[in-house]
């Protein structure tokens, strides 16, 4: 199976490395990135037949079976469309596009081309989240009543990465993972969103109109409620925690490295230097790899990805509603947002 990777930054270089060592009849056939340093970083470590500056060249040479898209979010829509039109299966990082209108247009083209599309909500491949889902679906906590999530990044991101025109902004770039977990773990769609957001620690983000901290309340179609907190400035580490409270109990997932196991625990800025591996890859390395394996498995067995365009659109709708809610200070009903198609 011949697979290409578009975008060779923190995620793309990890995906390229995972594919190069996956075995299973998979060959890392092509990589592309406009930045020569990113290309050199991958080409010097991995054996790749085609190293390209321009992603479009990927679809003009020898035929690829699939492509992994890990470029900035603002480039995803064009690249998904190009891959779908070339008849290539797609694993795309979140979000698929920066507006609802664009997301829907992309999904229409993917559908018309009958292309396989998986979206990178890798938390669903994390062992802890899988166990939580099984426990909830088996009825072990009764009827789910409250979804509670915390997602904190350790440091303010670079403006180059996080500029809302490139990443989609805090909600679409970061909280979208929690919105996907919310729909998945609660087995219910979100119908209303109320959000508060502020710029409190990452001054540079304010200069490009984004916030760095937010709390988002969710109302689910089945009547349940939820709350998501996201922050760009945890300082003590990368902290992703989720709890679902049900009528008969609760299930929670956290990172054992940072989640307090009882009593109060001080979490301070670490004195050790990070070892150069991005924080999210340290935490979710096995999940990212399992996500790629599952994508390959879908292609080998002609199975549809479990996390496809419907999920990409649904989580993005919540992210748009959350963005508009903090901007307008009003609750946003998803039915109204869909009608506006923004
Ligand atoms: N699932 C997760 O947990 C997770 C974590 C981090 C990032 N991401 C996502 O992965 C994607 C990439 O993020 P990253 O952290 O690797 O970013 P990054 O800034 O480290 O890397 C982006 C790379 O894309 C290249 N690039 C820029 N424009 C391009 C284009 N038009 N075509 C191809 N490549 C282009 C850049 O030169 C750079 O090498 C984003 O969509 C982001 O939302 C997901």
């Amino acid at each position: 199976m011949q697979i290409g990777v578009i975008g060779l930054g923190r995620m793309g270089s990890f995906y390229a490395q995972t594919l190069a060592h996956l075995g299973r009849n998979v060959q890392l056939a092509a990589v592309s990135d406009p930045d020569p340093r990113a290309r050199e970083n991958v080409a010097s470590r991995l054996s790749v037949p085609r190293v390209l500056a321009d992603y479009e060249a990927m679809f003009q040479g020898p035929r690829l079976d699939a492509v992994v898209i890990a470029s900035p979010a603002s480039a995803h829509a064009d690249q998904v469309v190009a891959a779908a039109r070339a008849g290539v299966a797609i694993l795309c990082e979140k979000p698929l596009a920066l507006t609802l209108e664009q997301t829907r247009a992309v999904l229409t083209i993917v559908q018309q081309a009958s292309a396989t599309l998986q979206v990178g909500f890798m938390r669903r491949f994390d062992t802890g989240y899988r166990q939580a889902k099984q426990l909830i679906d088996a009825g072990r906590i009764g009827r789910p009543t409250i979804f509670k999530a915390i997602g904190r990044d350790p440091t303010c991101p670079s403006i180059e990465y996080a500029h809302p025109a490139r990443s989609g902004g805090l909600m679409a770039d970061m909280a979208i993972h929690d919105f996907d977990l919310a729909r998945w773990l609660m087995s219910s769609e979100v119908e209303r969103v109320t959000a508060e957001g502020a710029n409190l620690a990452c001054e540079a983000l304010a200069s490009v109109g984004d916030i760095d901290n937010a709390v988002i309340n969710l109302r689910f179609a089945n009547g349940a409620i939820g709350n998501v907190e996201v922050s760009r400035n945890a300082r003590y580490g990368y902290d992703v925690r989720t709890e679902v409270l049900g009528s008969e109990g609760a299930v929670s997932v956290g990172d054992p490295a940072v989640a307090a196991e009882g009593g109060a625990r001080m979490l301070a800025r670490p004195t050790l230097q990070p070892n150069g591996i991005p924080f999210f890859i340290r935490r979710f390395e096995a999940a990212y790899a399992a996500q790629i394996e599952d994508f390959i498995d879908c292609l080998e067995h002609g199975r549809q990805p479990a996390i496809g365009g419907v999920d990409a659109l649904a989580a993005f709708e919540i992210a748009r509603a959350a963005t508009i809610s903090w901007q307008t200070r009003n609750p946003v009903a998803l039915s109204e947002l869909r009608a506006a198609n923004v």
Side-chain angles (χ1 to χ4, degrees), residues 6-12 32-35 38 55 70-73 75-76 79 93-95 120 122 161 173 177 280 288:
I6 299 178
L8 300 173
R10 300 176 301 176
M11 282 312 311
S32 93
D33 195 300
D35 181 349
Y55 79 88
S71 53
H76 292 177
Q79 294 171 347
E93 265 301 339
K94 35 52 64 169
M122 81 300 169
Y161 172 85
D173 178 54
H177 280 297
F280 41 84
Y288 292 121

Side-chain angles (χ1 to χ4, degrees), residues 261-283:
E261 277 154 18
R265 200 168 127 199
M266 172 70 193
L267 301 169
R269 193 191 281 252
T271 46
L272 287 176
Q273 289 300 314
N275 59 8
I277 301 172
F279 54 88
F280 41 84
I281 292 180
R282 270 203 297 275
R283 165 65 179 88

Side-chain angles (χ1 to χ4, degrees), residues 33-214:
D33 195 300
D35 181 349
R37 287 163 307 171
R39 293 199 299 275
E40 171 58 20
N41 170 43
V42 166
S44 64
R45 291 184 291 118
L46 307 172
S47 146
V48 198
R50 299 168 68 217
V51 181
L52 309 163
D54 175 9
Y55 79 88
E56 285 175 316
M58 222 180 236
F59 304 120
Q60 287 153 9
R63 212 190 119 64
L64 292 177
D65 296 293
V67 72
V68 176
I69 298 176
S71 53
S74 52
H76 292 177
D78 286 348
Q79 294 171 347
V80 171
V81 166
R85 290 198 166 132
V88 171
I90 306 147
L91 169 55
C92 185
E93 265 301 339
K94 35 52 64 169
L96 281 188
L98 298 188
T99 66
L100 278 189
E101 190 181 12
Q102 209 181 18
T103 307
R104 288 199 177 122
V106 168
L107 292 178
T108 302
I109 291 166
V110 166
Q111 201 175 19
Q112 282 164 353
S114 301
T116 297
L117 171 70
Q118 182 168 329
V119 63
F121 291 137
M122 81 300 169
R123 290 187 192 175
R124 296 204 202 184
F125 294 96
D126 177 70
T127 306
Y129 282 109
R130 287 192 144 171
Q131 284 169 355
K133 174 71 174 162
Q134 279 165 6
L135 289 167
I136 295 166
D137 286 356
R140 297 284 293 278
I141 63 164
R143 188 168 31 82
T145 55
I146 296 184
F147 173 85
K148 174 89 191 145
I150 289 176
R152 298 182 189 150
D153 279 357
T155 48
C156 299
S158 70
I159 292 303
E160 196 193 5
Y161 172 85
H163 193 300
R166 258 188 303 280
S167 72
L170 183 75
M171 307 292 188
D173 178 54
M174 207 177 150
I176 198 163
H177 280 297
D178 301 288
F179 300 148
D180 177 62
L181 285 179
R183 302 178 52 243
W184 183 56
L185 292 175
M186 300 298 279
S187 293
S188 178
E189 296 298 338
V190 168
E191 67 172 21
R192 193 168 64 224
V193 171
T194 324
E196 287 286 349
N199 186 284
L200 301 169
C202 306
E203 280 168 21
L205 278 180
S207 69
V208 292
D210 204 8
I211 48 176
D212 52 17
N213 282 263

